[in-house]
Amino acid sequence: MNLYAPIIGLLVLAAGFMALAIILSKIIGPRRKNKAKYDPYECGVESTPQPEEGGRIPVKYYITAMLYIVFDIEIVFLYPWAVSYQQMGLFALVEMVLFIITVFIAYMYVFRRGGLNWD
């Protein structure tokens, strides 16, 4: 049981912090109620009505989401490589350089096409 004492202590500390934060937000937080606060998204800004058949979402939104996924996957591949670099040797270094060059070429293509401009 002594092995689990730090984990249990950390869980109790996290639960106590969570309960304290919730209680303090109820006590200290502002209580301004309006119609916009109860809309979906709860941002406080009145939303514009959308047509019944659905609104058009800009393509740049999807491009930004895909770029995030591509570069997120790149980071997922870089972490294990960095951890076990010493065991893998020169072959892994060459493969990772090729991978980074490929991702950099894709990044430059998107940059030159204006995919990163949010205008």
Side-chain angles (χ1 to χ4, degrees), residues 46-67:
E46 293 288 338
S47 59
T48 58
Q50 294 290 328
E52 288 186 20
E53 65 273 359
R56 298 184 71 191
I57 297 175
V59 175
K60 293 205 180 247
Y61 170 79
Y62 294 107
I63 291 174
T64 304
M66 287 187 296
L67 285 174

Side-chain angles (χ1 to χ4, degrees), residues 7-49:
I7 296 172
I8 293 171
L10 186 61
L11 287 174
V12 168
L13 183 68
F17 178 75
M18 178 188 66
L20 181 68
I22 291 172
I23 291 169
L24 283 177
S25 71
K26 294 288 183 187
I27 294 171
I28 300 173
R31 293 179 183 85
R32 288 173 265 156
K33 297 179 182 176
N34 58 19
K35 181 183 175 295
K37 290 263 185 193
Y38 294 110
D39 279 348
Y41 306 121
E42 301 168 356
C43 63
V45 177
E46 293 288 338
S47 59
T48 58

Side-chain angles (χ1 to χ4, degrees), residues 49-105:
Q50 294 290 328
E52 288 186 20
E53 65 273 359
R56 298 184 71 191
I57 297 175
V59 175
K60 293 205 180 247
Y61 170 79
Y62 294 107
I63 291 174
T64 304
M66 287 187 296
L67 285 174
Y68 172 77
I69 291 170
V70 166
F71 292 115
D72 193 41
I73 290 172
E74 178 188 8
I75 296 300
V76 167
F77 283 126
L78 283 175
Y79 274 125
W81 173 77
V83 169
S84 61
Y85 170 70
Q86 294 293 334
Q87 290 96 12
M88 292 191 292
L90 184 63
F91 176 74
L93 177 64
V94 171
E95 291 297 321
M96 191 51 64
V97 167
L98 290 174
F99 176 71
I100 291 173
I101 288 172
T102 304
V103 171
F104 183 72
I105 289 171

